[in-house]
Amino acid sequence: MPTILGLESSCDETAAAVVRDGREIAANIIASQHDLHAQYGGVVPEIASRAHIERLLPVVREALETAEVDLRGIDAVAVGNRPGLIGSLLVGVSAAQALAWALDKPLIAVDHVRAHMYAADMTAAERPAYPALGLVISGGHTSLYTLTDPLTMRLLGRTIDDAVGEAYDKAAVILDAGYPGGPRLDQLAREGDASRGPNLPRSLLDARSLDFSYSGLKTALLYAVRGKPQGRGPDAGFTRSVADLTNQQRADFAAAFQDAAIDVLLCKLDRAIEQLTAEGQPPRALLIGGGVSANSLLRQRARAFESRRGLPVCVPPMKLCVDNAAMIAGLAWHHLEAGQVSPLNIPAIATTTY
Ligand code: KG4
Ligand code: ZN
């Protein structure tokens, strides 16, 4: 029964987890840095890497204590080494290299995006069947995949501009909803009514496209709040500001944004299922992961989608939607089983192309 210690430090959560056999979560500790970045309205990479350095070892210690295991009881060390902020990734990668070397245990490099989809698999009441359709919706990704197993996937489509989480974060700034943007906008939207908000576009691209585009929705929201920009060059300006909206109107605008943002995701899922079915590879489950899978409307619509399509839909519990190390240690077990152990000199990789 391999016990794996997983580390995650790709963005602004410092996390460590202990997972047995890819599914049994003995500890899942997450130290969020939201308080450190709030005053800047977004993640400051240099602050994030410094905070990871301070927090990583205490988080590892807490994970081991919670799992009631000491370092000698660990069979392998896993780390999310791609993609992410390079300075942040390096902290987790260096720590994992040092631990694996000192303990003389295998080191396993894990892809953060695959791990987000695996979070949905490992927490499903019933093990999902493959091939599965995977949707990763986070601050950096809005991508659709078809997976033949947890380690093997093919990209079907992705955003051509902003990621959906990024659009949420920007919409939160436009509507002065607070920080962190995604959860705050979600909360504000729940007090609103989309039908009373502005009519916002759903960008679906070409009829068969499985790619996404969120920058038009963001700009449409900006203009709906502030009016179309007037003038040119240094004299350009807006006629209105968010302060001209009542609190109820802000909530209605947030609901209209959320409705449009989530509608597009569901529409692309329908398209993907139809196309894969036509190709003779119908998905047998849908795995949704990444920070935006914590969104209340997405979760509600995912349940409705499951009944409408008769397809099992796996969405992780809230603590495994956001960045965490349980998904890293969980997926690492599959790598270990497949004999995919990494060399000690693994790199940290900021961007991936799938
Ligand atoms: O997966 P994640 O923690 O980090 C990345 O890998 O990017 O996702 C973070 C993203 C942020 O853009 C955040 O605003 C968004 O997920 N998010 C949400 C919600 N909770 C987090 N977006 C919408 N509704 C939420 N409830
Ligand atoms: Zn993530």
Side-chain angles (χ1 to χ4, degrees):
M1 202 193 210
T3 300
I4 299 184
L5 171 68
L7 307 183
E8 154 63 36
S9 69
S10 65
C11 188
D12 60 342
E13 333 278 351
T14 317
V18 176
V19 177
R20 297 197 174 93
D21 278 355
R23 280 179 93 80
E24 193 193 307
I25 302 173
N28 182 28
I29 310 296
I30 305 171
S32 162
Q33 300 178 5
H34 288 165
D35 51 336
L36 297 180
H37 303 285
Q39 60 174 306
Y40 305 103
V43 177
V44 183
E46 183 60 27
I47 293 176
S49 6
R50 282 166 191 261
H52 285 308
I53 292 173
E54 286 165 13
R55 295 171 187 205
L56 193 66
L57 289 180
V59 162
V60 168
R61 214 166 279 132
E62 194 180 336
L64 294 169
E65 276 166 23
T66 307
E68 296 181 3
V69 61
D70 68 21
L71 281 173
R72 282 182 301 266
I74 295 296
D75 298 304
V77 182
V79 62
N81 77 324
R82 61 194 189 277
L85 300 172
I86 193 72
S88 291
L89 285 168
L90 276 168
V91 179
V93 167
S94 310
Q97 287 166 325
L99 279 168
W101 178 73
L103 298 170
D104 195 19
K105 298 289 180 193
L107 175 66
I108 301 168
V110 176
D111 180 286
H112 183 91
V113 174
R114 281 166 208 249
H116 267 309
M117 285 182 282
Y118 185 66
D121 173 325
M122 74 189 285
T123 52
E126 262 183 52
R127 228 186 173 138
Y130 288 77
L133 178 63
L135 173 68
V136 179
I137 38 178
S138 69
H141 286 79
T142 309
S143 306
L144 265 173
Y145 301 93
T146 174
L147 297 98
T148 39
D149 60 60
L151 297 176
T152 318
M153 66 189 195
R154 175 167 66 88
L155 180 70
L156 299 173
R158 62 177 161 173
T159 182
I160 58 168
D161 42 55
D162 292 354
V164 59
E166 190 182 349
Y168 261 92
D169 294 333
K170 289 176 180 165
V173 173
I174 294 169
L175 288 172
D176 201 14
Y179 185 88
R184 292 297 188 90
L185 194 109
D186 186 6
Q187 205 176 357
L188 183 61
R190 271 180 271 167
E191 292 153 27
D193 178 345
S195 68
R196 287 195 307 243
N199 209 347
L200 297 174
R202 274 97 173 127
S203 174
L204 297 175
L205 305 170
D206 296 341
R208 284 186 52 80
S209 172
L210 297 178
D211 287 334
F212 299 86
S213 167
Y214 277 100
S215 74
L217 172 60
K218 173 195 66 188
T219 308
L221 176 70
L222 180 74
Y223 289 179
V225 172
R226 298 194 193 166
K228 287 243 166 69
Q230 304 289 310
R232 277 170 171 266
D235 299 327
F238 289 101
T239 49
R240 303 191 298 270
S241 90
V242 67
D244 297 322
L245 297 181
T246 63
N247 283 343
Q248 187 56 56
Q249 282 172 321
R250 280 173 56 245
D252 294 340
F253 277 52
F257 169 85
Q258 173 142 290
D259 208 42
I262 305 297
D263 261 1
V264 172
L265 298 176
L266 274 296
C267 170
K268 296 286 171 159
L269 286 172
D270 272 320
R271 267 189 198 175
I273 292 173
E274 270 137 40
Q275 290 180 22
L276 289 168
T277 306
E279 288 165 19
Q281 296 173 328
R284 299 170 67 200
L286 167 61
L287 309 174
I288 307 182
V292 183
S293 58
N295 182 266
S296 60
L297 186 66
L298 183 274
R299 296 173 85 83
Q300 191 185 315
R301 297 238 174 117
R303 293 278 80 87
F305 189 86
E306 178 172 62
S307 341
R308 177 164 63 80
R309 300 238 42 146
L311 184 76
V313 177
C314 310
V315 187
M318 300 297 267
K319 210 172 167 191
L320 267 82
C321 289
V322 290
D323 287 347
N324 67 86
M327 64 185 192
I328 302 288
L331 188 57
W333 179 80
H334 290 270
H335 282 296
L336 191 64
E337 288 285 288
Q340 296 170 357
V341 168
S342 311
L344 270 179
N345 63 352
I346 48 161
I349 302 168
T351 40
T352 48
T353 50
Y354 45 81

